[in-house]
């Protein structure tokens, strides 16, 4: 399991190879990459600043990955999340999951991302030339997490 | 007496102009809610940030907790808005 909170960008291909680590029992890798969008209602946004809670962030991501491992038959997972100043179009997050089969890897990847959104202590601030705004949490993210508790998502 | 550390993040930290502090409390049962109510008495800004309409999440020793959770000697408590990563 690899968890990294970093200001630097990451190379998805490199990260996926490191996760696979040449293991021949891996039949599937599923990954999600999140990017900083330029789609805010305020068109003057120049960049974003990401803050996190050092220590708790790593611990919460580890707990989320362990939950996914307990729930599905996956082999390993890694999460990279960037912090600091980020511009539109930049990569912000990577969740990669490997397993013997695709189905478990798909589900675990989405599960980890949904839980990261509601439980991992990161905060985004949008910056314009004259002001700064903290991004509000979305209830749709809570809904996305909640559906993992319903019966039909357990398998 | 018990000693605790409190950390503040994001909007709460910026508005309070406070990122962390060490406090001492008498050795009695101290819940997260009780701590928030104590801090909120400092002034209107603290009241708004910790006991107002905005949602506040709390953590003890890096674990998310609810208002009823009890704080113990040496704990690191944190208050922050709902998270917005990813």
């Amino acid at each position: 399991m690899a968890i990294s909170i970093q200001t630097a960008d990451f190379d998805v291909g490199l990260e996926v190879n490191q996760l696979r680590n040449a293991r021949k029992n891996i039949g599937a890798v599923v990954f999600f990459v999140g990017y900083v969008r330029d789609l805010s209602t305020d068109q003057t946004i120049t960049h974003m600043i990401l803050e996190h809670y050092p220590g708790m962030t790593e611990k919460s991501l580890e707990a989320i990955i362990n939950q996914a491992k307990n729930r599905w038959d996956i082999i390993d997972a890694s999460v990279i999340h960037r912090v600091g100043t980020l511009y539109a179009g930049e990569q912000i997050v990577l969740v990669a999951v490997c397993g013997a089969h695709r189905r478990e890897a798909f589900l675990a990847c989405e599960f980890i991302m949904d839980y990261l959104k509601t439980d991992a202590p990161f905060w985004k601030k949008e910056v314009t030339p004259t002001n700064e705004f903290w991004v509000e949490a979305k209830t749709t993210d809570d809904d996305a997490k909640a559906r993992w508790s319903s019966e039909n998502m357990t398998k | 007496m018990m000693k605790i550390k409190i950390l503040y993040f994001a909007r709460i930290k910026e508005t309070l102009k406070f990122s962390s502090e060490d406090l001492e409390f008498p050795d009695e049962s101290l819940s997260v809610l009780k701590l928030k109510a104590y801090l909120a008495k400092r002034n209107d800004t603290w009241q708004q940030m910790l006991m107002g309409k905005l949602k506040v999440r709390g953590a003890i020793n890096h674990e998310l907790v609810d208002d009823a959770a009890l704080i113990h000697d040496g704990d690191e408590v944190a208050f922050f808005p709902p998270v917005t990563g990813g």
Side-chain angles (χ1 to χ4, degrees), chain B residues 40-60:
Chain B
K41 281 188 195 139
R42 285 175 171 169
N43 64 38
D44 284 353
T45 313
W46 284 79
Q47 171 72 30
Q48 273 168 26
M49 280 297 113
L50 296 175
M51 297 293 280
K53 277 187 236 158
L54 293 167
K55 261 195 195 159
V56 181
R57 298 193 81 174
I60 299 177

Side-chain angles (χ1 to χ4, degrees), chain A residues 96-135:
Chain A
V97 177
C98 62
H101 306 287
R102 73 179 185 282
R103 185 171 158 73
E104 288 82 359
F106 269 120
L107 288 167
C109 185
E110 195 175 8
F111 173 94
I112 293 169
M113 196 56 216
D114 284 347
Y115 272 68
L116 180 155
K117 277 276 188 186
T118 58
D119 288 8
F122 292 100
W123 302 274
K124 283 191 193 113
K125 189 159 75 172
E126 294 172 341
V127 183
T128 74
T130 53
N131 219 331
E132 300 179 340
F133 306 94
W134 287 102
V135 173

Side-chain angles (χ1 to χ4, degrees), chain A residues 65 68-70 72-77 97-101 104-105 108 112:
Chain A
I65 292 175
K69 280 183 168 175
N70 289 337
W72 292 284
D73 189 13
I74 57 171
I75 293 168
D76 205 356
V97 177
C98 62
H101 306 287
E104 288 82 359
I112 293 169

Side-chain angles (χ1 to χ4, degrees), chain A:
Chain A
M1 184 195 306
I3 293 166
S4 176
I5 314 299
Q6 59 189 52
T7 52
D9 197 10
F10 50 84
D11 179 331
V12 176
L14 204 73
E15 297 301 332
V16 165
N17 274 337
Q18 265 173 19
L19 177 69
R20 284 180 59 225
N21 196 18
R23 285 175 285 196
K24 298 287 198 308
N25 58 339
I26 290 169
V29 172
V30 172
F31 66 81
F32 169 85
V33 180
Y35 296 86
V36 180
R37 270 178 312 166
D38 188 13
L39 276 177
S40 182
T41 44
D42 187 340
Q43 289 304 305
T44 57
I45 288 168
T46 56
H47 63 276
M48 252 179 190
I49 296 171
L50 260 119
E51 182 179 332
H52 78 298
Y53 179 177
M56 178 169 173
T57 315
E58 292 82 353
K59 216 164 146 182
S60 81
L61 291 172
E62 197 182 324
I64 293 167
I65 292 175
N66 281 329
Q67 272 190 71
K69 280 183 168 175
N70 289 337
R71 191 153 168 176
W72 292 284
D73 189 13
I74 57 171
I75 293 168
D76 205 356
S78 53
V79 174
I80 297 177
H81 204 297
R82 293 177 68 193
V83 292
T85 300
L86 291 169
Y87 293 87
E90 287 197 78
Q91 300 184 129
I92 179 167
V93 61
L94 168 73
V95 174
V97 177
C98 62
H101 306 287
R102 73 179 185 282
R103 185 171 158 73
E104 288 82 359
F106 269 120
L107 288 167
C109 185
E110 195 175 8
F111 173 94
I112 293 169
M113 196 56 216
D114 284 347
Y115 272 68
L116 180 155
K117 277 276 188 186
T118 58
D119 288 8
F122 292 100
W123 302 274
K124 283 191 193 113
K125 189 159 75 172
E126 294 172 341
V127 183
T128 74
T130 53
N131 219 331
E132 300 179 340
F133 306 94
W134 287 102
V135 173
E136 298 295 336
K138 293 194 208 85
T139 51
T140 48
D141 289 333
D142 292 325
D143 299 343
K145 178 190 165 187
R147 86 207 149 94
W148 292 103
S149 323
S150 70
E151 275 306 302
N152 49 1
M153 296 296 285
T154 54
K155 291 256 165 61

Side-chain angles (χ1 to χ4, degrees), chain B residues 23-66:
Chain B
L23 286 181
E24 284 192 10
F25 285 91
D27 275 315
E28 58 187 46
S29 140
L30 179 69
S31 68
V32 170
L33 182 64
K34 216 164 150 184
L35 176 61
K36 277 199 289 193
Y38 169 84
L39 296 167
K41 281 188 195 139
R42 285 175 171 169
N43 64 38
D44 284 353
T45 313
W46 284 79
Q47 171 72 30
Q48 273 168 26
M49 280 297 113
L50 296 175
M51 297 293 280
K53 277 187 236 158
L54 293 167
K55 261 195 195 159
V56 181
R57 298 193 81 174
I60 299 177
N61 299 330
H62 297 164
E63 303 271 355
L64 283 171
V65 293
D66 58 29

Side-chain angles (χ1 to χ4, degrees), chain B residues 67-80:
Chain B
D67 277 348
L70 291 179
I71 299 162
H72 299 98
D73 187 32
D75 281 353
E76 177 176 301
V77 182
F79 293 116
F80 45 80

